[in-house]
Amino acid sequence: ASLPPPASERLILPLVMNRGLPAGWLQQCIRLAQAQPVGAANVLRQVRLARSFAGDLAIAPHKVLLLASRADRLAAARCSERLASRYHFALALHASAGHELTMDDPDWVIEQALSFWYKAPA
């Protein structure tokens, strides 16, 4: 059984964001979760797949940029560091944002993406 959206969003958002919620975001996230619910079985499948992944990725390294945060309380930055090292992906680490980088520091995410895009070979 999963928590209903108001309870789950109140529990999850503080875990994935380090800079606090702007006014109105909690209510907006609750509305989105109610409109597009994520079932507990789906969450468990994603966690199981993430934990068991050991395959090779057929992706050109110069086309991948991993973004992570050293202050992420949901997923350790060392996981992204290991992926970047294993597959020779570019990696940018944020010092203080939470797991939801695009919500905590959207400007940083855009800067990293643009910088990577303009440096990457075609």
Side-chain angles (χ1 to χ4, degrees):
S2 59
L3 294 171
S8 62
E9 295 305 305
R10 282 189 180 90
L11 177 70
I12 293 167
L13 288 173
L15 291 174
V16 298
M17 294 184 67
N18 291 350
R19 297 192 176 178
L21 287 172
W25 274 32
L26 177 60
Q27 290 308 314
Q28 183 177 355
C29 289
I30 290 170
R31 283 192 299 277
L32 288 170
Q34 289 170 330
Q36 299 291 325
V38 176
N42 189 31
V43 171
L44 290 174
R45 269 192 304 275
Q46 290 180 35
V47 169
R48 192 175 316 123
L49 283 170
R51 290 185 57 142
S52 67
F53 178 78
D56 286 328
L57 296 176
I59 301 171
H62 67 275
K63 294 187 177 187
V64 177
L65 169 63
L66 298 178
L67 301 178
S69 177
R70 294 191 187 283
D72 188 333
R73 292 173 291 166
L74 188 63
R78 73 178 177 274
C79 296
S80 295
E81 290 170 334
R82 287 179 186 159
L83 278 172
S85 176
R86 179 174 180 176
Y87 296 106
H88 308 287
F89 294 154
L91 172 66
L93 291 170
H94 195 287
S96 61
H99 188 74
E100 287 294 341
L101 287 165
T102 57
M103 292 169 67
D104 258 352
D105 196 347
D107 292 338
W108 181 86
V109 171
I110 292 168
E111 288 169 13
Q112 298 306 310
L114 288 174
S115 176
F116 178 76
W117 175 263
Y118 287 112
K119 287 181 191 173

